């Protein structure tokens, strides 16, 4: 029975990773049709949050009678708001801005350096030297970044796109730190996630309305995978499948496998994103970028393997809201 439960959990985690990996290929046609990254983030996060809202409210009703200290509940809501602003709005804005200028797989590979960025930060704040395997993973992943950037010039990557992807990596580091605490006893995981998505949508919309970032969406049709479709087809897919389903299944996988195992399986998202970008968008990395991508994934695996489950720098705790990358 335990083996069957574990296999089912692995299947759910893989489905979540695949769903997250599809977001880039489905959003890129919208960006090419004139959508601004901020508009894509606002619609994706807002629609995904609304899709999760019924189950989130049901979870809140189920836990309404549980004794929770007032301070813990306030802390959970503050975390959910911070999660929405940084780990949803800012991270997706950076990622979609990177996708606008870079191949989807390359943007995601650079973003996945997030856990590696937490290594020096944790070292400096705790004054505790990380294990050798963690440091080795950081070095391997950093070396992989140089291969992905292909500094020989063969790939001709847009430096602005690279900067956006590195911004997404910083936000991803914050994401893992938030996820390590999660809603805790103050909020059920799905409620934490839905609140974060809706706050993120509201935050990016508010910033867009001030004119600090472009907030522009195009109606009509878009060209997607050699076909002409209505704009809501790719956006609807991203909101329902790559947001609501991906987040909900990620939460389920964490419950079935434990957050540590589920977060390792979530790395498959990078593989899915590279392959889907290749198949759907004809974005083929150079051989040296394939090597760099493998080194980044291997480095992140070493970083996560070298740290304990209770370290917020590497893996979400068992009650964390998410285990994959939005």
């Amino acid at each position: 029975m335990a083996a069957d439960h574990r296999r089912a959990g692995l299947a759910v985690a893989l489905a979540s990773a695949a769903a997250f990996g599809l977001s880039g290929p489905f959003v890129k046609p919208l960006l090419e049709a004139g959508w601004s990254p901020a508009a894509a983030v606002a619609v994706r996060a807002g629609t995904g949050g609304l899709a999760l809202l019924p189950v989130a409210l049901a979870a809140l009703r189920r836990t309404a009678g549980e004794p929770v200290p007032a301070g813990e509940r306030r802390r959970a809501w503050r975390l959910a708001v911070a999660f929405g602003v940084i780990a949803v709005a800012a991270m997706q804005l950076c990622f979609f801005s990177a996708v606008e200028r870079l191949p989807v797989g390359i943007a995601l590979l650079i973003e996945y350096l997030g856990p590696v960025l937490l290594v020096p930060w944790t070292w400096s704040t705790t004054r505790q030297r990380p294990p050798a395997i963690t440091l080795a993973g950081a070095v391997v992943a950093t070396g992989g970044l140089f291969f992905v950037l292909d500094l020989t010039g063969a790939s001709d990557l847009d430096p602005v796109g690279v900067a956006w992807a590195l911004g997404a990596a910083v936000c991803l580091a914050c994401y893992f730190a938030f996820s390590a605490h999660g809603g805790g006893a103050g909020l059920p995981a799905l409620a934490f996630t839905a609140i974060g998505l809706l706050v993120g949508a509201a935050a990016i919309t508010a910033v867009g309305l001030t004119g600090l970032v472009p907030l522009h969406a195009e109606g009509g049709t878009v060209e997607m995978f050699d076909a002409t479709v209505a704009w809501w087809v790719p956006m609807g897919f991203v909101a329902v499948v790559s947001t609501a389903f991906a987040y909900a299944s990620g939460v389920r996988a964490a419950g079935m496998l434990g957050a540590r195992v589920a977060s390792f399986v979530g790395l498959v998202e990078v593989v899915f994103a590279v392959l889907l970008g290749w198949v759907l968008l004809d974005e083929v990395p150079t051989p040296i970028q394939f090597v760099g991508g493998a080194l980044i994934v291997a480095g992140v695996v070493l970083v996560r393997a070298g740290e304990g489950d209770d370290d917020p720098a590497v893996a979400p705790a068992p009650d964390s809201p998410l285990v994959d990358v939005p």
Side-chain angles (χ1 to χ4, degrees):
M1 185 67 70
D4 290 342
H5 184 77
R6 192 172 186 82
R7 281 195 293 269
L10 285 171
V12 173
L14 287 172
S16 177
F20 274 119
L22 281 165
S23 65
F26 273 78
V27 166
K28 189 149 190 171
L30 292 169
L31 300 177
E32 292 174 343
W35 281 61
S36 67
V41 171
V43 177
R44 176 196 179 181
T47 306
L50 290 174
L52 282 178
L53 193 56
V55 292
L57 292 174
L60 284 171
R61 283 196 296 270
R62 284 196 304 271
T63 58
E66 296 179 0
V68 178
E72 179 69 17
R73 195 176 297 278
R74 286 194 298 270
R75 170 185 168 276
W77 277 89
R78 287 196 298 268
L79 273 175
V81 171
F83 180 86
V85 172
I86 298 174
V88 174
M91 185 164 69
Q92 289 188 26
L93 176 63
C94 288
F95 176 66
F96 287 160
S97 296
V99 165
E100 198 174 26
R101 298 169 177 269
L102 299 176
V104 171
I106 299 301
L108 191 59
L109 282 168
I110 297 173
E111 180 187 0
Y112 247 89
L113 288 169
V116 178
L117 297 179
L118 279 174
V119 173
W121 180 82
T122 304
W123 191 352
S124 65
T125 55
T126 64
R127 309 272 183 198
Q128 294 180 352
R129 182 179 181 274
I133 189 173
T134 300
L135 294 175
V139 172
V140 169
T142 303
L145 174 63
F146 283 98
F147 284 115
V148 165
L149 296 180
D150 194 1
L151 299 180
T152 62
S155 61
D156 193 27
L157 294 180
D158 187 326
V160 176
V162 172
W164 278 115
L166 289 172
V170 173
C171 293
L172 181 60
C174 297
Y175 159 85
F176 277 110
F178 286 133
S179 294
H181 299 287
L187 280 174
L190 280 173
F192 185 99
T193 304
I195 293 167
L197 288 171
L198 293 173
V199 167
I204 198 68
T205 300
V207 172
L209 291 176
T210 66
L212 292 177
V213 295
L215 191 67
H216 179 70
E218 290 283 347
T221 60
V222 298
E223 296 297 320
M224 186 178 73
F225 316 147
D226 298 323
T228 301
V229 299
W231 68 269
W232 51 264
V233 173
M235 180 52 72
F237 182 93
V238 168
V240 175
V241 177
S242 296
T243 306
F245 170 78
Y247 285 143
S249 56
V251 170
R252 178 60 176 161
M256 298 173 75
L257 297 173
R260 188 169 180 79
V261 175
S263 65
F264 273 98
V265 179
L267 284 171
V268 179
E269 179 192 347
V270 177
V271 179
F272 278 124
V274 172
L275 292 177
L276 291 167
W278 188 350
V279 173
L280 298 177
L281 301 175
D282 198 27
E283 296 178 343
V284 185
T286 64
I288 196 171
Q289 287 175 330
F290 270 117
V291 173
L295 288 174
I296 287 177
V297 173
V300 173
V301 168
L302 290 174
V303 167
R304 291 187 177 180
E307 302 287 353
D309 289 342
D310 58 347
D311 191 326
V314 291
D319 62 352
S320 68
L322 308 173
V323 295
D324 290 302
V325 179

